[in-house]
Amino acid sequence: KDQTMKIIFKPIITILLISFFFIVNSFAQDTTMISMENQHGAESDKIGDLINESVVDGYFLSTYFLDLRTQDTGGSAQNDKPHHIMVYITDKNHTPVIKGKVGFLIKDSQGKTQKSMGMIMNDGFGTTADMKKKGIYKIMTKTVLADKKFMNSFDYEIR
């Protein structure tokens, strides 16, 4: 009788163990996919068009540009500063860095400059600017964190 029980239960236990393995493996893959979707979703929360990516002193900076005149903003198209620039900073662990300050200096092709301090919003630092004239603009940022100061600079063309 014991031999008969072993013969019956051995395949059942084997099937249960194999099923358990597949269920755990499937769950792990699903949570990995959810995590990847969340990371991608966070990327899509950024407003505007990506215009620059830089790595400075171990921090990753991504800069986005939005022309508010192309948005349905209820009249802000007549605004003196119809452009919005966002800088998102992440550390080496891809964690957003928002404890700090970012200053913006934007210079047009005629040398006219605009200075402003970024405001913290959506895990980044944003400012408005007047970039209505076509041409190449030099966009410079100065970031001050608790333990570090660094600058980033790049050119962006308005066509």
Side-chain angles (χ1 to χ4, degrees), residues 48-61:
D49 298 321
L50 179 64
I51 60 170
N52 182 262
E53 291 181 311
S54 301
V55 176
V56 182
D57 287 349
Y59 291 90
F60 183 73
L61 287 74

Side-chain angles (χ1 to χ4, degrees), residues 114-131:
Q114 302 173 61
K115 292 181 184 181
S116 65
M117 289 302 296
M119 292 178 43
I120 296 173
M121 56 183 80
N122 299 342
D123 288 337
F125 298 87
T127 191
T128 55
D130 176 7
M131 298 170 70

